[in-house]
Every structure is written in C-alpha cells, then in structure tokens.
Amino acid sequence: MVLVLAVAALLPGISAIPVMDRDEGRYAQATKQMMETGDYVDIRLQDATRYGYPIGTYWAKVASAQLFGGAEAPIWAYRLPSFLAGVIAVLGTAWLAARIGGPAAGVGAGLLLAVSVVVAVESRVARSDALLLACVVVAQAALWRLSRSSEERPRFRGAPLVFWAAHAVGVLIKGPIITLVVGLTIAAWCLWHRDRSLLRRLHILKGLGVTALVVLPWLAAITLETGNAYLEEAIGRSMMGKVAKGDRAHGAPPGYHLVALFIAFWPGALLAGAAAGLAWARRHEPDIRFLVCWSVPTFLVFEAVATKLPHYTMPTYPALAILTALVLATGFSPEGRWRWVHRVVAGVFCVVTVALALVPVAGPLFFETRFEHLYQRTTHETDWGFPAVVVGLAILGAGVWVLRRRTVGRVVTLSVLVAGFYALMFQGVFPRLDLLWPSRTLAERVATLAGCDRRQIEITGYAEPSAVFYLGTDTGLGDPDDAAALLKRNPGCGIAVATDRDREAFLAAASALYVTVREFDSFAGFNYTRGKPVTMTIYLAEGTELRRR
C-alpha cells in the first residue's frame, strides 16, 4: 500500500511539467551536453563550468536518458532517477519505522513522507536532492541497526557495508552533505550515551576506504582534466560561500526552516507538535534518541547557515515522519505545554491547507489581475482548478478528522486525498499556466519555422537554462549586439529573440549593421525566477529562408 500510494503521490506530472528554472534546467542541460560530447567527467553548461556538486546526479540522469533517446530524451527521462529515489526514500522510511514502532508506524511514516510537499516536488525535478534523500535514509537505517547491535565489533558486511556504500554514493551525488547528516547523528548519539562503541561498530577506516574507492576515481579524473578548478569552485565558492552569507539572494535569518516546515512537511506537519511532545516524553528510549539525534542537530546547523532554501532540511524529514507515525501508532496525546504546542501547530496546518487549496484558482486570478495586459485565461485552466480546490478543502476536513482521532487508518484517507490533489496540480493546473513557461512557448513558436536544416538562435534579455535545453546547446544567450550580429552573419537561417527590455537596443544594433529585420512572432510570459513579466519577440532577417510551417 505504501508503494502504491508513493507512486500515486510522486509520479503524476513528471512528463507534463515543463523544464523548471533554474537548477533543473542547469542539471538537465549539463547532462544533455555530456551525451552530446561523450565527456562524462567534466561538467559544463554550454561553455561555463558547473562545479558546484560532484558527478553522481549527472551520471544517474545520463543512465536514465540513454534508455529513452539519449541527448534527445524528453525531460521526464531526466526526472526519472529523482522519482525512483523518492520512492526508495519512502520505502526505507517505512521499513525503519516498522522496526521501531510496528507495522502501523511503518505505514504511517511512509505515507507521511510520500505526500509531504518537499518530497513531492523534489521527486518530480531533475535535481540532486531526492537522490541525496534516498542515500541518507539507507545510511541512517543501517546506522540504526548498528546502534541496536549487541556486537562489540561486527564484521564489515551487512549494516556497516550498507552504511558506507550509501555514504559513498551520497558524497558522489552532493558532496559532504550526507557526511554532515550522519556525522552529526553519530556525534550526538555518542555524546548523549557517553559511549563510543558505535564508532567501533562502524569500521571507520574501512568505510572511508569504500568512500574513497567510489569518489576518488572521478575526482582524480576531473583534476587531471581541469586542474584545481573543480575543487576551488566546489569547496571555495559553492560550499563555503553558502555558510557565511546568503548565496544568490537566498539568505534568511534563523527560524526560517522551522517556519518552512509547515509547508515543506505538509500535511504531516499537522502532528508535528504532538511528535515533538512524544520525543520529549520518551527521550530516554534508544530508538527515540536515535531519531532526535538524526533530526535536531542537522536542523540546527541548517538554521545557522546563512543560505537557506526549504529543501535543505529535507534529510531530517524521515525522522520527523517516523516520530509523527509513532504518535498515530501509539495513540499518544500530548500533555501540559505540549498540548498547547499541538493546538497551535494544528491551527497553522488549517491555515496552510486553506492557502494551498486556493492556489489552483488564486494563481490564475493573481496573474489575471496583476498582469492583465499579458494574461489570457483559458478554459483548460479552470477545468483542473476547481476540482483541485474541492479536493484541497476535502484535505482540510480529513486533517481535522485525523486531529480528532489520531489513527493510521485516517492518515491513509488523508494521504489518498493529498495524492489526488497533487495529481490535479502537477498534471493539470501548473503545466497549463502557459504564462509561467516562456521557454516552452518560445520553443513551440520556433518549431513552427521550416526551411533550414540547421537554425541558429540568439536570445537577448532572457538567459534561462530551460531555453537552452529546449532550443539546443548552441543557443546563444547574449546581448542586443550579439543578436543583431547573428542575423548579419546568417541572414538565411538565423533567428533573433529579444525581450521588451532589449528590443529597442536590438533594433538599433541591427540598423547599425544595415540588417533589415522583420517581426515573426511575439508573446508574453512571466519569468518566475526574477519575479517579472517578460515579452519576447522573434525576429528574422529580410530574405530569410525560414517560413512558417
């Protein structure tokens, strides 16, 4: 049942949602270029290096895309590893919860993780975070086995080997993030118990050897190919640059992740207060201590780091899902101050649920009123929007029903409704908001041009990686002079695209080069990465060989 509901919650929309900017577009385009060039060591986005994270995510997406067309594979092929990783994380969480609290806890924890917003999003996006989550869950499940072992120093197989194998793959996917999570868990466990026996059971030297065996071959290869460029960018700029200050305007004060939890872990957050009360009441039990050591130190570290995004604390959510499931499986009722915490959290859940339920109609209405000159409502938006609102309000009722009597059976009903809500949103509502996907619209408009086997495209004023993925690796992302120079250089098969911001500068540049241009098409969109509307105009040179199909 957990597997079926996980697939139902995480799969719809994986092929319908257009390429998302910016990280997904960057990952997908860099992976595509690997297959185009045959270079599976270096990581590049067009001519620029992309050394923020190691190679693991790209290799996973290459393996998937090669099964469905290689460099020409659709975006869902690049997303498939994230989906499978999300399912693995859900099943691993269910397995661990079942061994801590019984079958009912296993079902509850698996479902709550599967339908959480952050896992639902990351499992549909061609990025690294769902893959990292799967590695963390597998490693922590093995670590829990070791924490419960009675052997002073077990042989290096079974749980120790699984732990280090998952750690090694996690490092290859996203660097030392998994090391931070498991390392903080181990340190907190040893300090809390004043016992270092867990360190002996881990076979640390052998484990580091496994990690080195997995990671060092690629690290040596890219160092030979690029010198110290990868290490300088990955460690010096990408990792350390996020600690002291907000990277790329993603800074936020401490407390951000606690607030974000009510959306990222929705709908399971409705019992987060009760879960905290259970953790406190049963803090002397080894299994509860393990879950606290897993979640609290990592959560606090990410609160202290300057750069913050909602998915950063996702590796702690399996532990929170298990604690929440134990509330359901044991019928725990918070007492004293925890009762008030539970009531406040339940009230926040109701507010968040109403807000999410109204998104399918509030979103189009916002664009219609805020950008009236750009937006045109279409009937297929409302066809999906109103049923989604109805299901969203039904989730509110189911949540209140769960709060009145906290049982796993009621959470199953809640999870089914949430899976239906996601299906409507990700398969229907979001993909049909055409204003949100200017790159897709641009690719569709350019595809109506025929007459040249090989077209050259230069875009000015819009530099999102999704456009490169749709239009081809050789798509230029330059300035007005570059766009005008393309039509001068290749008047027969050149295509220039200018935004409203750069339109006058482009026309002036074209005139200075004595290039006569004509407008082929124009459309409006919304660049959500910048939070600004954008109007794109497609220009062709006079005498072009390109014609509308």
Side-chain angles (χ1 to χ4, degrees):
M1 180 173 65
V2 171
L3 175 61
V4 170
L5 277 173
V7 172
L10 304 180
L11 186 61
I14 196 172
S15 62
I17 301 171
V19 181
M20 298 180 67
D21 288 310
R22 292 183 175 129
D23 278 354
E24 181 180 58
R26 290 166 175 160
Y27 272 109
Q29 177 57 32
T31 303
K32 184 178 182 179
Q33 286 180 218
M34 287 184 178
M35 292 181 282
E36 290 173 341
T37 63
D39 185 348
Y40 297 101
V41 174
D42 200 6
I43 310 170
R44 290 190 173 268
L45 180 61
Q46 293 188 302
D47 294 329
T49 59
R50 180 160 169 77
Y51 294 159
Y53 296 110
I55 198 72
T57 300
Y58 302 95
W59 281 352
K61 298 186 188 314
V62 164
S64 177
Q66 291 284 21
L67 298 174
F68 302 100
E72 303 303 319
I75 186 59
W76 64 262
Y78 295 82
R79 291 168 173 164
L80 193 57
S82 294
F83 162 73
L84 295 175
V87 172
I88 291 171
V90 168
L91 295 179
T93 300
W95 180 91
L96 179 56
R99 275 142 189 82
I100 291 176
V107 171
L111 293 185
L112 289 173
L113 188 68
V115 299
S116 63
V117 167
V118 68
V119 174
V121 171
E122 293 300 333
S123 297
R124 290 174 166 88
V125 180
R127 302 198 305 188
S128 59
D129 297 283
L131 297 167
L132 173 67
L133 178 66
C135 292
V136 167
V137 170
V138 172
Q140 294 288 61
L143 185 62
W144 172 81
R145 290 288 297 263
L146 289 171
S147 74
R148 300 287 287 170
S149 175
S150 58
E151 296 184 66
E152 183 65 21
R153 190 172 177 84
R155 298 178 65 180
F156 191 67
R157 63 183 184 186
L161 183 58
V162 169
F163 172 84
W164 286 108
H167 173 265
V169 175
V171 171
L172 195 63
I173 286 170
K174 207 165 182 177
I177 301 300
I178 189 171
T179 309
L180 172 72
V181 177
V182 300
L184 288 172
T185 305
I186 294 167
W189 175 268
C190 292
L191 289 172
W192 199 342
H193 290 83
R194 299 179 182 179
D195 183 3
R196 293 179 294 177
S197 60
L198 181 59
L199 298 176
R200 292 189 291 272
R201 295 177 199 143
L202 280 168
H203 296 272
I204 291 177
L205 291 180
K206 292 180 181 178
L208 292 176
V210 171
T211 301
L213 189 64
V214 172
V215 177
L216 285 184
W218 170 77
L219 190 59
I222 195 169
T223 301
L224 288 173
E225 186 169 333
T226 67
N228 294 326
Y230 171 76
L231 292 175
E232 289 174 358
E233 183 172 336
I235 298 176
R237 288 190 289 272
S238 180
M239 185 174 71
M240 299 308 297
K242 294 179 179 180
V243 175
K245 61 180 181 179
D247 183 51
R248 298 173 187 168
H250 294 315
Y256 169 91
H257 287 299
L258 182 61
V259 174
L261 180 145
F262 292 102
I263 298 176
F265 192 59
W266 180 90
L270 87 165
L271 293 175
L278 180 141
W280 178 260
R282 296 173 54 181
R283 62 190 180 277
H284 300 295
E285 299 177 21
D287 291 337
I288 302 301
R289 284 189 175 188
F290 180 84
L291 297 173
V292 172
C293 292
W294 176 350
S295 56
V296 174
T298 298
F299 205 94
L300 291 177
V301 166
F302 281 117
E303 286 285 22
V305 170
T307 302
K308 293 180 174 66
L309 285 171
H311 63 271
Y312 281 9
T313 53
M314 186 170 65
T316 68
Y317 285 1
L320 180 56
I322 296 173
L323 287 170
T324 305
L326 291 174
V327 172
L328 301 168
T330 62
F332 174 80
S333 295
E335 300 292 339
R337 64 180 180 274
W338 293 109
R339 178 181 298 177
W340 289 104
V341 172
H342 170 62
R343 289 175 178 175
V344 170
V345 168
V348 174
F349 163 79
C350 293
V351 173
V352 171
T353 303
V354 171
L356 292 175
L358 294 178
V359 165
V361 293
L365 183 62
F366 167 78
F367 286 117
E368 186 175 5
T369 55
R370 179 69 175 79
F371 307 109
E372 185 177 359
H373 60 296
L374 302 178
Y375 186 74
Q376 290 183 344
R377 182 186 291 270
T378 56
T379 55
H380 59 222
E381 291 173 12
T382 55
D383 288 345
W384 291 83
F386 287 113
V389 171
V390 172
V391 176
L393 294 177
I395 292 170
L396 176 62
V400 174
W401 189 47
V402 170
L403 290 169
R404 289 176 62 86
R405 186 182 174 194
R406 296 180 287 277
T407 67
V408 172
R410 295 191 177 192
V411 166
V412 172
T413 302
L414 175 65
S415 301
V416 170
L417 288 171
V418 174
F421 182 71
Y422 289 157
L424 291 167
M425 294 293 289
F426 293 121
Q427 186 68 35
V429 175
F430 288 148
R432 287 168 169 77
L433 283 173
D434 295 332
L435 196 70
L436 285 178
W437 315 111
S439 293
R440 179 182 68 177
T441 304
L442 176 60
E444 291 171 348
R445 301 293 175 90
V446 169
T448 63
L449 287 167
C452 290
D453 293 334
R454 193 173 190 282
R455 298 169 298 197
Q456 285 187 283
I457 304 171
E458 187 79 34
I459 305 173
T460 174
Y462 182 80
E464 301 303 334
S466 58
V468 180
F469 182 84
Y470 280 124
L471 297 171
T473 301
D474 59 352
T475 300
L477 304 176
D479 56 29
D481 292 336
D482 295 323
L486 171 64
L487 296 187
K488 175 70 173 181
R489 184 173 65 251
N490 187 3
C493 297
I495 301 171
V497 181
T499 63
D500 48 346
R501 186 190 67 183
D502 286 4
R503 182 176 183 272
E504 295 302 324
F506 163 74
L507 293 176
S511 177
L513 293 173
Y514 302 103
V515 177
T516 303
V517 300
R518 62 182 178 87
E519 181 178 321
F520 169 72
D521 204 348
S522 182
F523 65 91
F526 184 78
N527 187 348
Y528 54 84
T529 63
R530 293 185 176 274
K532 296 179 180 179
V534 60
T535 300
M536 293 190 190
T537 305
I538 302 171
Y539 291 96
L540 307 175
E542 195 66 38
T544 180
E545 299 173 21
L546 294 165
R547 298 288 183 272
R548 192 183 296 273
R549 294 182 188 275

